[in-house]
Structures are given as structure tokens and as C-alpha cells.
Amino acid sequence: FINSWKAGGATINVAIASRIMDYYLGLPTRDYSAEFRDSWTPSLQQQTEAIRKFDASRIKETTPTLPISQYAGVYRDKLGLEVKVWLEGDTLRLQYGAGEVAVLTHWHHDTFRARWENPLLAEQRSALVQFSMSPQATIVELTLNPGDQITARR
């Protein structure tokens, strides 16, 4: 939902590549970093504000409805890919398909924040995972929102 890479990370690569091309083409030296900084500073400020608003949306002092072990299980999305949730010690972990692993930390109620173990993904693709319950108080579904919404059922 928030992508800091767009707020300057890729731009600096373009600045470096542009400087190298100018050198080999014999063009005058330009300060591409300063030029690009002016374009990505507003994006960085927007990202900081989005993070602040997101953090403020958290409902504090809530607990999960069920013991966290009840959230563990294998879920399948509409394409048949597995979303595995397991308990490791007292920490929930999640893996979508054969992809990256995330640590789930309680956000509020039956919603957890996924923090990917891969540092690049952790920076770019923070996600919320919401668990839904049946009338019999068992977890039947999860919704993973890493940008596009993924729904998976037990």
C-alpha cells in the first residue's frame, strides 16, 4: 500500500545512469541528483503523511477474538494457491504460494500486519491480513491486502 521505492530509490538510479551517459556523450555535467530530488521530495512527504494516517487508523488496546493458534492453517485463494499461516513460538507467520514469508503482528481485532522478512518487500509491500469468522467462532477466511486484495478460504 505504501511504496517508498517510488519516492526516490529508482530515481537515483536514473540520475546515475543519466550522468554516465552524459559523460560518454561528452555533454556538460549536470546535477541530476538535485534535479530529481526536487521531483521526489513531494512524493516522500506524501508517503510520510500516508504512513502517519495509516498508523493513526489502528484501533489500540484490542485483542484477537480467538487464541492466535486458531488463526493458523492452510487457506486457498480462488486460483488454488495456498496461503499458509503457522505458529512459530508465539508468532504467527504467513506464506503466500511459494513466495516470501511474513511475520504477522496483531494490528487490531482480527487484523494482523504482515511484515515481510525480505527487507526490500518489508519496505515496499507492507500488508494487512484480516481473518473472518464463521457463526461457530472458527476462522474460515483471510483477506490479504498487499495492494491487490487476495481472499483465501480454509
Side-chain angles (χ1 to χ4, degrees):
F1 62 9
I2 297 168
N3 186 344
S4 65
W5 188 252
K6 289 181 183 173
T11 305
I12 198 71
N13 292 339
V14 173
I16 292 167
S18 296
R19 176 63 187 99
I20 292 168
M21 287 189 298
D22 285 355
Y23 174 81
Y24 284 107
L25 293 173
L27 298 173
T29 301
R30 288 173 48 190
D31 188 357
Y32 286 104
S33 295
E35 292 176 28
F36 286 125
R37 183 182 58 240
D38 293 341
S39 69
W40 59 258
T41 297
S43 296
L44 189 57
Q45 290 168 340
Q46 289 173 343
Q47 175 194 8
T48 301
E49 180 62 15
I51 291 170
R52 188 195 65 71
K53 284 181 180 177
F54 176 74
D55 288 342
S57 74
R58 182 179 185 192
I59 302 168
K60 294 180 171 58
E61 299 181 25
T62 67
T63 58
T65 305
L66 300 171
I68 61 170
S69 62
Q70 298 300 304
Y71 297 83
V74 177
Y75 303 79
R76 289 195 185 278
D77 71 3
K78 63 184 175 183
L79 298 174
L81 291 174
E82 287 186 347
V83 181
K84 296 176 192 169
V85 178
W86 69 95
L87 193 58
E88 193 171 288
D90 61 352
T91 303
L92 282 174
R93 295 187 180 275
L94 175 142
Q95 183 177 31
Y96 180 49
E100 298 292 334
V101 173
V103 173
L104 299 182
T105 55
H106 183 252
W107 183 251
H108 58 227
H109 301 298
D110 292 323
T111 302
F112 293 77
R113 187 171 188 175
R115 293 193 185 258
W116 303 102
E117 292 179 346
N118 177 320
L120 185 60
L121 285 178
E123 175 88 14
Q124 294 180 9
R125 302 289 294 201
S126 184
L128 291 178
V129 180
Q130 170 136 21
F131 291 89
S132 300
M133 231 180 296
S134 72
Q136 294 77 28
T138 60
I139 302 295
V140 294
E141 181 178 271
L142 68 77
T143 302
L144 173 64
N145 189 355
D148 295 330
Q149 185 169 302
I150 298 163
T151 301
R153 298 188 58 80
R154 279 192 173 171

